[in-house]
Amino acid sequence: MRVLILGGVGNMGQGVARDLVKQEPVTHIVLTSLHPDPARLSAKLRENEKTSMIKLDVNDHEGMVNAFKDVDVVINAAGPFYKTAVPVATAAVEARVNYIDICDDYEGTQILFDSEIDQMAKDAGITVLTGMGSDPGTNNVLVKWYADRLDTVEAIYLYWVVSVAELQGAAWDHSLHMTLGKIPQYIDGKLVHVEGGTGVVKEKFLEPLGACQLRYVGHPQPLTLPKYIKGVKNVIIKGALIPSWVDEMIKEQKETGFLGTEPIDVKGTQITPYDLALKLWETIPEGRDNGPQSSGLKVIVKGDRDGKKVTYTADMVGRMAPGTGIPASIAALMMAAGDVTVKGVVAPEGCIDPDKFLGAFLSRGARIHQTEHIASMFEINK
């Protein structure tokens, strides 16, 4: 099994590669970058005989097609995905090679499902699996696992927290972009659009994260989960960057125009405020609290079983790179084993067997704290 990881020298790409190099079916991993400097790789990847590096640009369609033809699966870890998911998937379809990404931007997901890419992939007999990271990804599979144990599903709440101590590169672009404008949520059986960064709620996560203030964010699950979890009425996703001063500053930047995407004239020079803000976020002042080196997920699924109200809750905490990379690695191995049979564009909850995935995930040391709460009317037999 030969794998190409786009953005393979980045934090998330290396998270995928570190798991794949350990797997016997994997014979070679091609790590791509615009700047393929071996010094950017961890020693274990740099010195591993299974890995190699090449220069590849997501804007070079022909270059991607030619490179993709030499591998069995392409994994796109090169964000931000509102810019890269569609062109990379298009090249994979043309090369007739299975594709996986960790896309967490709803715009890319929407285009993949609604454009000709879906039919092209079906005609080519390949799978375009989008959103196979942590969120989306692992939490989608958990939702499916719980949904399969319910007669009906009423509501799904997906919450996450990321410490800025773990953010770098394209993750900053996504973190700002996901709060801009009107973003999708699935409420009362309808896809609606709400203002990003609003709807503040407080939720408790596993230590060392604790209680965090969450806001509406633009992720793909309100678009995908209702496709596969029939009858669900609400799919809500909210997230937070911690420490809390980060989200508060992003809110202020948004309200004062510093996240504007239209160029403005500054002393005769056209400057886009968003680009400037993004550049400045790359360096947090020395001495400022960056939070713990960990991130967290919470999945809540509510529904009915045998006439009783059931609520499942799952909590996870850990490092972002392995938490995002390992799910994509597992999915690639499942594809190679013939466990992913859906052709065309699909989300994790539509093609990944939850039992097989979670078994592999837990075998790698993942820990999921879960609870099941059952409520029913008290009855006295007469």
Side-chain angles (χ1 to χ4, degrees):
M1 175 184 173
R2 292 173 58 86
V3 182
L4 183 147
I5 305 176
L6 212 64
V9 302
N11 197 30
M12 299 302 108
Q14 291 194 55
V16 181
R18 280 192 292 269
D19 188 70
L20 283 174
V21 294
K22 303 173 187 176
Q23 311 306 322
E24 185 176 347
V26 177
T27 58
H28 191 67
I29 303 170
V30 182
L31 305 171
T32 83
S33 173
L34 272 175
H35 309 287
D37 180 1
R40 298 174 61 194
L41 288 177
S42 67
K44 288 185 178 180
L45 290 179
R46 187 171 58 249
E47 298 165 4
N48 195 293
E49 62 181 11
K50 289 185 178 182
T51 66
S52 65
M53 296 180 66
I54 64 170
K55 181 176 180 178
L56 196 61
D57 187 343
V58 298
N59 297 308
D60 179 5
H61 177 76
E62 291 303 321
M64 286 194 293
V65 172
N66 291 333
F68 294 174
K69 288 179 179 179
D70 293 331
V71 300
D72 300 299
V73 61
V74 170
I75 300 177
N76 182 8
F81 295 96
Y82 69 92
K83 296 179 180 178
T84 70
V86 173
V88 179
T90 301
V93 170
E94 186 171 327
R96 292 179 176 267
V97 60
N98 286 325
Y99 168 92
I100 298 169
D101 67 34
I102 55 172
C103 176
D104 48 9
D105 289 313
Y106 69 90
E107 299 98 328
T109 302
Q110 186 78 69
I111 295 172
L112 288 177
F113 273 97
D114 293 348
S115 71
E116 68 278 4
I117 294 173
D118 180 43
Q119 189 58 52
M120 290 168 59
K122 290 175 179 175
D123 293 342
I126 67 166
T127 302
V128 174
L129 171 54
T130 182
M132 195 62 241
S134 176
D135 180 327
T138 297
N139 59 6
N140 298 49
V141 177
L142 278 168
V143 167
K144 183 65 166 61
W145 196 83
Y146 292 133
D148 288 345
R149 283 151 180 77
L150 296 170
D151 299 326
T152 61
V153 178
E154 173 67 24
I156 298 164
Y157 299 92
L158 304 172
Y159 299 142
W160 58 259
V161 172
V162 170
S163 168
V164 294
E166 297 221 280
L167 284 187
Q168 58 180 271
W172 269 113
D173 197 342
H174 168 69
S175 297
L176 300 183
H177 176 78
M178 68 182 176
T179 67
L180 299 183
K182 300 291 185 178
I183 58 174
Q185 301 287 324
Y186 197 76
I187 301 174
D188 294 332
K190 296 179 181 179
L191 186 67
V192 300
H193 289 79
V194 303
E195 188 65 29
T198 63
V200 177
V201 297
K202 180 180 283 189
E203 283 289 335
K204 188 173 182 180
F205 291 80
L206 298 178
E207 293 300 329
L209 302 175
C212 301
Q213 300 272 11
L214 310 176
R215 295 169 167 86
Y216 284 125
V217 293
H219 272 221
Q221 292 96 323
L223 305 176
T224 68
L225 283 168
K227 292 177 181 289
Y228 305 103
I229 311 299
K230 299 302 182 184
V232 65
K233 297 293 190 248
N234 296 281
V235 179
I236 306 297
I237 180 158
K238 296 185 178 186
L241 299 180
I242 57 171
S244 59
W245 68 264
V246 179
D247 271 350
E248 290 301 323
M249 185 172 288
I250 291 174
K251 179 175 178 289
E252 290 295 325
Q253 288 181 324
K254 180 179 176 182
E255 292 176 351
T256 53
F258 281 92
L259 298 184
T261 56
E262 294 297 323
I264 60 175
D265 183 271
V266 180
K267 295 183 178 181
T269 300
Q270 293 293 305
I271 295 176
T272 301
Y274 182 90
D275 293 340
L276 177 60
L278 179 60
K279 183 64 178 177
L280 294 174
W281 272 113
E282 291 178 2
T283 304
I284 294 176
E286 188 176 346
R288 200 74 190 258
D289 181 12
N290 287 359
Q293 288 277 351
S294 60
S295 300
L297 294 179
K298 181 185 288 286
V299 174
I300 302 172
V301 179
K302 297 184 177 185
D304 295 276
R305 185 180 64 228
D306 298 329
K308 299 179 176 65
K309 298 292 183 182
V310 179
T311 299
Y312 287 108
T313 302
D315 280 282
M316 289 173 282
V317 66
R319 297 299 302 275
M320 186 167 67
T324 303
I326 288 174
S329 172
I330 293 172
L333 293 164
M334 290 178 70
M335 278 186 176
D339 293 326
V340 178
T341 59
V342 177
K343 305 304 178 184
V345 178
V346 64
E349 64 271 27
C351 69
I352 296 294
D353 182 296
D355 291 302
K356 290 181 179 179
F357 173 86
L358 291 172
F361 192 55
L362 294 172
S363 73
R364 286 159 167 80
R367 295 292 179 265
I368 303 173
H369 176 78
Q370 66 171 358
T371 61
E372 179 186 33
H373 181 264
I374 302 173
S376 64
M377 295 295 292
F378 180 68
E379 295 181 359
I380 299 177
N381 292 326
K382 296 181 179 178

